Amino acid sequence: MSDQTILQKLEILADAAKYDASCASSGTAKKNSLGGKGIGSTEGMGICHAYAPDGRCISLLKVLLTNHCIFDCHYCINRKSSNVRRARFTPQEIADLTLSFYKRNYIEGLFLSSGIIKSSNHTMELLVEAARILREEHDFRGYIHLKTIPEADPELIHQAGLYADRLSINVELPTDAGLTRLAPDKDARQIEGAMGGTKMAITQAKDEKKRFRHAPRFAPAGQSTQMIVGADAATDADIVGKASRLYDNFRLRRVYYSAFSPIPDASAVLPLKRPPLIREHRLYQSDWLMRFYGYQPGEIMQATEKDGNLPLDIDPKLAWALKFRDSFPVDVNRASKEQLLRVPGLGTTAVRRILTARRHRTLRLDDVAKLTVSLAKVRPFIVTCDWRPTLLTDRADLRRLLAPRQEQLELFAA
Ligand code: SF4
């Protein structure tokens, strides 16, 4: 291992980091650029995109400190019993890499995670040290997202928050039973305890900042977490319930959902097939509905099918509207903002524009058509001065009419 060059280590440890979805882009067809041919490959690793607190999209060097690990989480390619090439950076090497990419303008920050070496405390010390070198020795002002290790001493997690913009602690599985079965070394109470400590420290730092201009900052971009979808029997209703509790209890900025992907030499307790990527997408849509559209978690759960999962062929907002048709149609010229946000096909921007425009004139169907990509989806659920859906809203085959036509799948698609 000591003979590995920095580039070889980077190849191994940036590749190993791609399984963390907390700042990943997904859902695109893969193209590689092996042999130096072509640009814009979506298959490579190393740089990911994230949104800064001010809404800017920034590129981060996404890498593990090491993929050695003393834990044996079944779903993880870096687990103790996995037969993968291993590598390890020192904190100084991580700092040097970050600075050299930063100075070349390749990145605007660092996303650093790690397998656990020796002990949780030892690993957390190394992660903190990498961030310390960057901040204190180089006055690095770029973005730093540190994964924290919930089993580590709370004081070490606190130090991480003093250097990082964002901290994240992965809950990993949606249910405690799933965690016990698939990540036997982890403990749900410890994970939530660490999240609780981080929440308190963030709140305290914000309060102090209001009183003292020079109070130290603590994870100003908040904390986030990741849940693996499809590795255990948890349904979408379970996942939505867990996500909403996490948002409420720990004021998380984001919950990321990562469709479980089968790994080489997978453990026999894991499913053989990955869940469809569209399931991950539906969970993100439902997350959006809870955060920006005023849906309660119970309402998202009402949109699930008998098996507790969200439909894959239609989005959760449409699924809810089809189940609760007595809430529609809504009058675009009179309905409240909350009612308009429930209309399938109307996003937050469209609703804002409707509210502004109707102050000056009465809206027609054509006006709404300019604000949506699919008027067909909106029509059954609205009334305008020149449109009334009459029986359309209650048609038995409405779901079939509105579901997007299924596309021919790629024969060898992953
Ligand atoms: S602790 Fe993290 S790196 Fe180690 S096996 Fe579990 S998920 Fe993988």
Side-chain angles (χ1 to χ4, degrees):
M1 189 189 79
S2 55
D3 293 338
Q4 286 170 332
T5 63
I6 293 284
L7 200 59
Q8 285 165 333
K9 290 190 207 181
L10 186 61
E11 192 188 327
I12 295 170
L13 294 172
D15 186 62
K18 75 184 176 193
Y19 293 94
D20 199 310
S22 305
C23 66
S25 319
S26 62
T28 176
K30 289 180 178 175
K31 302 176 193 74
N32 76 50
S33 55
L34 292 178
K37 289 186 186 153
I39 55 170
S41 161
T42 51
E43 205 175 43
M45 71 307 280
I47 294 186
C48 72
H49 295 97
Y51 286 95
D54 61 4
R56 279 177 315 126
C57 180
I58 53 177
S59 342
L60 305 177
L61 169 63
K62 181 179 180 181
V63 71
L64 298 189
L65 185 77
T66 178
N67 63 343
H68 287 275
C69 194
I70 56 173
F71 282 14
D72 208 29
C73 308
H74 288 280
Y75 49 82
C76 177
I77 195 159
N78 301 320
R79 69 191 189 281
K80 180 172 63 182
S81 56
S82 173
N83 181 25
V84 288
R85 276 197 308 159
R86 307 276 177 176
R88 177 177 167 177
F89 279 126
T90 63
Q92 186 65 53
E93 286 171 335
I94 289 287
D96 292 345
L97 268 174
T98 307
L99 291 169
S100 62
F101 282 140
Y102 189 83
K103 285 176 185 163
R104 289 190 182 103
N105 217 7
Y106 293 165
I107 57 163
E108 288 153 286
L110 169 69
F111 174 99
L112 183 62
S113 182
S114 183
I116 299 172
I117 28 170
K118 287 192 192 165
S119 69
S120 302
N121 280 350
H122 176 69
T123 312
M124 201 63 233
E125 277 166 11
L126 296 175
L127 290 168
V128 170
E129 177 60 6
R132 189 202 64 77
I133 296 171
L134 282 166
R135 292 286 195 230
E136 290 189 355
E137 295 182 15
H138 298 276
D139 198 15
F140 180 69
R141 312 273 175 105
Y143 185 87
I144 298 181
H145 179 160
L146 286 184
K147 282 267 159 186
T148 59
I149 302 183
E151 298 78 18
D153 191 304
E155 179 50 34
L156 286 168
I157 298 182
H158 190 83
Q159 283 178 26
L162 295 174
Y163 295 122
D165 292 276
R166 172 167 288 186
L167 294 181
S168 52
I169 303 168
N170 286 354
V171 292
E172 308 288 10
L173 276 307
T175 64
D176 291 358
L179 189 75
T180 310
R181 185 159 164 267
L182 298 179
D185 304 296
K186 297 197 175 193
D187 180 87
R189 271 181 309 175
Q190 248 172 342
I191 294 172
E192 297 208 355
M195 284 176 156
T198 303
K199 177 189 125 183
M200 268 173 49
I202 291 172
T203 312
Q204 210 173 330
K206 275 188 187 152
D207 287 348
E208 282 173 10
K209 197 87 193 157
K210 282 182 203 151
R211 285 184 287 138
F212 313 108
R213 234 178 88 225
H214 296 293
R217 38 175 248 162
F218 185 93
Q223 63 169 328
S224 58
T225 193
Q226 172 182 295
M227 257 191 277
I228 299 166
V229 175
D232 65 353
T235 63
D236 291 347
D238 296 327
I239 295 169
V240 166
K242 175 84 177 188
S244 123
R245 280 193 300 283
L246 293 172
Y247 279 122
D248 287 351
N249 295 347
F250 305 113
R251 290 204 213 120
L252 299 187
R253 283 293 177 88
R254 287 296 302 271
V255 174
Y256 292 92
Y257 307 94
S258 172
F260 156 74
S261 51
I263 48 176
D265 306 321
S267 149
V269 298
L270 290 172
L272 292 173
K273 273 177 65 184
R274 65 179 300 159
L277 262 184
I278 189 78
R279 184 176 172 198
E280 183 187 291
H281 182 60
R282 297 294 179 226
L283 284 165
Y284 275 114
Q285 287 177 318
S286 65
D287 193 272
W288 215 252
L289 292 183
M290 289 193 288
R291 293 192 300 134
F292 302 110
Y293 287 76
Y295 285 74
Q296 295 301 312
E299 292 178 309
I300 305 288
M301 291 175 197
Q302 287 169 331
T304 58
E305 314 259 52
K306 282 199 190 98
D307 63 0
N309 288 326
L310 292 163
L312 298 179
D313 60 333
I314 53 173
D315 65 74
K317 192 177 180 189
L318 178 57
W320 187 87
L322 288 171
K323 276 196 177 175
F324 295 93
R325 297 187 199 193
D326 51 351
S327 305
F328 302 96
V330 301
D331 187 338
V332 164
N333 287 297
R334 288 205 180 84
S336 66
K337 179 180 169 192
E338 290 70 29
Q339 287 173 312
L340 290 171
L341 283 171
R342 300 257 161 171
V343 175
L346 290 186
T348 49
T349 306
V351 168
R352 204 175 52 245
R353 289 190 181 152
I354 286 172
L355 293 173
T356 308
R358 76 184 191 186
R359 280 194 222 131
H360 309 289
R361 63 197 156 89
T362 306
L363 300 180
R364 307 169 69 86
L365 192 61
D366 273 356
D367 297 317
V368 178
K370 290 178 195 143
L371 298 172
T372 177
V373 285
S374 171
L375 186 62
K377 193 171 175 183
V378 178
R379 278 169 57 212
F381 303 103
I382 59 164
V383 168
T384 59
C385 62
D386 60 343
W387 164 256
R388 199 161 267 282
T390 57
L391 298 178
L392 180 58
T393 316
D394 293 319
R395 271 181 68 158
D397 60 349
L398 189 57
R399 176 174 178 155
R400 190 181 56 74
L401 289 178
L402 298 182
R405 288 234 307 274
Q406 297 293 313
E407 283 174 24
Q408 177 81 42
L409 293 175
E410 286 175 57
L411 194 54
F412 299 106

